[in-house]
Amino acid sequence: MVCIYEDELYKNFLPLVYLRPVFELYCGRLKLYQKIKNWYPKEKIGLLVRPIISEITEEKHPNIPVNYFIEEKEFVRNEINLFISARAILNEKINPYGPEEIFIAPVAGNNKNEYDIVGFRVKDTRIKKLPINTQNILNWRLPKSKVNAIVTKYLWNFIEMNADELIKEFPTSRILGKISSKTIIIGDIKKLYLGQDAEIEAGAVIDLRPGPIYIDDYARVLALSKIIGPAYIGKNSIIDQAKISGGTTIGENCRISGEVESSIFQGYANKHHYGFIGHSYIGEWVNLGAGTTDSDLKNNYTTVKVKIGNKKIDTGKLKVGCFIGDHTKTAIGTMIPTGAVIGIFANVLMPAKSIPNFYWSKGKRWAFDKLIRTAKIVMSRRNVTMSQSYEDLIGNLF
């Protein structure tokens, strides 16, 4: 079995992983889970996640065992399985069969001499609790092998790697949807994938010179929009008079206008007005009010620091925008500072570098019944019903 596991560094990916495991994040056209699964099409997959999100993970992956080593107390085995980090991006398959061993690879970012654990092949009885702790793995004192992979450590790693992953994951070109004869195609059309019942209207500009563009099923690119590759537009998303610059991933069921550069939208987000979002990661069910704009470059051109927990981490990057958790809403004209971290269910009225979960106004949080009612209304507008496990998870976090 191939087991995808979260470790203690899931905290580095908050606020985007309060309501999902790390392997549900995008990097390129695919989420990390799908990337790993594609290397093992014939292997049984298992998932090991924080207990607080086990129920919602089971709901999203109904046919895959979740936390089976830990939660099924009577199910004791002593088999060797391959465990792969939820933070890993593999560039080649790791053999799931063989002796006990630890696999390492470079960490994403500027320091190519820093290595981290990609995964390990061990007897499953070694797994005692979740999340799996990296130091405990090292204490096993097993042989280590370098493999062709990269290990992400922070959210901005996904932003810096997104363009390359979009290029790497582009399939054979296919045009299944409708392109107007008055659509402006710049570059080689063989770099365009247009899914079933997707549509590109007259007056839209598709620039394929910097990289490929994948427009998924039922997505629509409306007149006066411009998409510069490499880019991915998810299923049922609408690009409406927007400029999408290269290195951008738009998840399913988003509404995007204004300008987006080198950013990732997890899905079901609403940016249906003017404003700029650059070098950012935006969660699900986020609503960005008209004119909402983030800064992704400091005026003094120094590297951006991002607050993770109680620490400020120097990203080593000149361009870092913001990280916004699920169900957060910004007021019209909101100006978001460089490197801002905004939690889930936050009501953003004034700019701040860090905004906690469930923030309503100074010194106040959303009332739980009101935030749930609002979330259900928002989700119903995309024909999604909030499940009880999802509501329970929000309640536990609240």
Side-chain angles (χ1 to χ4, degrees):
M1 180 180 286
V2 176
C3 311
I4 307 172
Y5 72 92
E6 288 189 311
D7 62 19
E8 78 280 10
L9 292 187
Y10 78 87
K11 296 176 182 178
N12 288 358
F13 299 90
L14 298 173
L16 271 298
V17 297
Y18 277 113
L19 301 177
R20 65 181 55 82
V22 173
F23 54 73
E24 287 292 341
L25 296 175
Y26 275 104
C27 189
R29 181 172 64 89
L30 303 175
K31 296 176 181 178
L32 301 189
Y33 164 81
Q34 190 61 53
K35 291 173 183 287
I36 296 171
K37 190 172 182 295
N38 284 351
W39 286 108
Y40 301 95
K42 296 181 180 179
E43 298 291 333
K44 187 175 182 180
I45 301 293
L47 304 174
L48 298 176
V49 301
R50 290 157 279 150
I52 194 173
I53 62 168
S54 61
E55 189 173 346
I56 195 70
T57 304
E58 288 176 344
E59 189 173 272
K60 291 181 179 180
H61 302 275
N63 300 317
I64 297 177
V66 176
N67 291 0
Y68 51 99
F69 295 146
I70 306 300
E71 295 180 354
E72 297 181 23
K73 302 296 184 183
E74 298 178 0
F75 183 52
V76 178
R77 307 190 312 176
N78 196 29
E79 297 179 3
I80 290 183
N81 290 296
L82 176 63
F83 295 78
I84 298 179
S85 171
R87 302 184 285 116
I89 296 176
L90 304 184
N91 293 317
E92 65 181 17
K93 183 177 181 178
I94 301 173
N95 190 346
Y97 306 105
E100 290 194 308
E101 191 173 4
I102 296 172
F103 305 102
I104 60 173
V107 173
N110 296 328
N111 185 2
K112 300 303 181 184
N113 295 319
E114 183 182 2
Y115 280 75
D116 199 352
I117 296 174
V118 172
F120 44 89
R121 195 170 50 217
V122 299
K123 294 178 181 179
D124 49 36
T125 49
R126 287 186 183 270
I127 308 301
K128 302 298 183 183
K129 62 180 181 178
L130 297 172
I132 295 171
N133 186 278
T134 303
Q135 187 57 51
N136 290 344
I137 298 171
L138 296 174
N139 289 341
W140 294 336
R141 301 186 183 280
L142 296 174
K144 298 183 182 67
S145 296
K146 294 180 181 180
V147 295
N148 187 6
I150 193 161
V151 188
T152 59
K153 196 171 180 180
Y154 301 106
L155 281 169
W156 54 85
N157 295 149
F158 298 137
I159 304 302
E160 64 183 312
M161 297 170 60
N162 208 49
D164 288 342
E165 290 295 304
L166 285 164
I167 293 170
K168 184 172 72 175
E169 293 168 349
F170 186 76
T172 303
S173 173
R174 295 185 70 185
I175 306 297
L176 302 175
K178 179 182 177 182
I179 304 177
S180 168
S181 60
K182 295 184 180 179
T183 297
I184 302 170
I185 305 289
I186 306 174
D188 187 355
I189 198 169
K190 291 181 180 179
K191 292 182 179 180
L192 175 65
Y193 184 103
L194 188 64
Q196 179 183 344
D197 291 326
E199 181 181 3
I200 307 175
E201 290 187 349
V205 177
I206 304 297
D207 188 349
L208 300 161
R209 291 171 298 179
I213 296 172
Y214 190 115
I215 300 173
D216 219 328
D217 300 344
Y218 313 109
R220 297 173 63 201
V221 181
L222 305 189
L224 304 182
S225 296
K226 182 177 183 179
I227 303 177
I228 303 170
Y232 170 69
I233 310 299
K235 293 181 180 179
N236 292 298
S237 284
I238 298 175
I239 309 302
D240 185 4
Q241 297 188 53
K243 179 186 177 184
I244 309 293
S245 297
T248 291
T249 292
I250 305 294
E252 65 177 313
N253 261 298
C254 291
R255 306 291 182 265
I256 304 294
S257 296
E259 186 177 359
V260 178
E261 178 184 358
S262 298
S263 295
I264 300 173
F265 282 70
Q266 184 71 19
Y268 294 94
N270 190 52
K271 184 198 176 304
H272 214 164
H273 301 284
Y274 70 96
F276 171 78
I277 293 293
H279 294 85
S280 299
Y281 203 130
I282 310 298
E284 288 185 347
W285 307 110
V286 170
N287 187 80
L288 302 177
T292 295
T293 293
D294 81 317
S295 166
D296 62 359
L297 179 67
K298 294 166 67 175
N299 285 353
N300 60 4
Y301 288 78
T302 57
T303 56
V304 179
K305 294 181 176 65
V306 174
K307 187 176 182 181
I308 296 178
N310 295 320
K311 295 182 179 180
K312 282 189 176 181
I313 306 295
D314 191 336
T315 66
K317 304 295 176 186
L318 292 180
K319 284 201 168 187
V320 178
C322 60
F323 305 100
I324 302 181
D326 295 25
H327 292 277
T328 280
K329 297 164 178 59
T330 66
I332 59 172
T334 299
M335 300 288 113
I336 302 174
T338 317
V341 178
I342 301 174
I344 61 173
F345 288 93
N347 182 46
V348 184
L349 304 177
M350 298 291 289
K353 187 83 170 182
S354 178
I355 297 177
N357 299 332
F358 307 109
Y359 178 89
W360 178 253
S361 62
K362 188 175 182 179
K364 296 182 180 179
R365 298 201 304 170
W366 268 29
F368 183 73
D369 59 336
K370 292 181 179 179
L371 74 85
I372 288 293
R373 183 167 62 246
T374 300
K376 288 181 176 180
I377 292 171
V378 171
M379 294 171 77
S380 70
R381 287 162 59 88
R382 297 286 191 274
N383 298 314
V384 175
T385 301
M386 180 184 291
S387 68
Q388 188 59 51
S389 62
Y390 192 80
E391 182 173 346
D392 291 344
L393 174 57
I394 297 167
N396 288 333
L397 293 168
F398 186 84

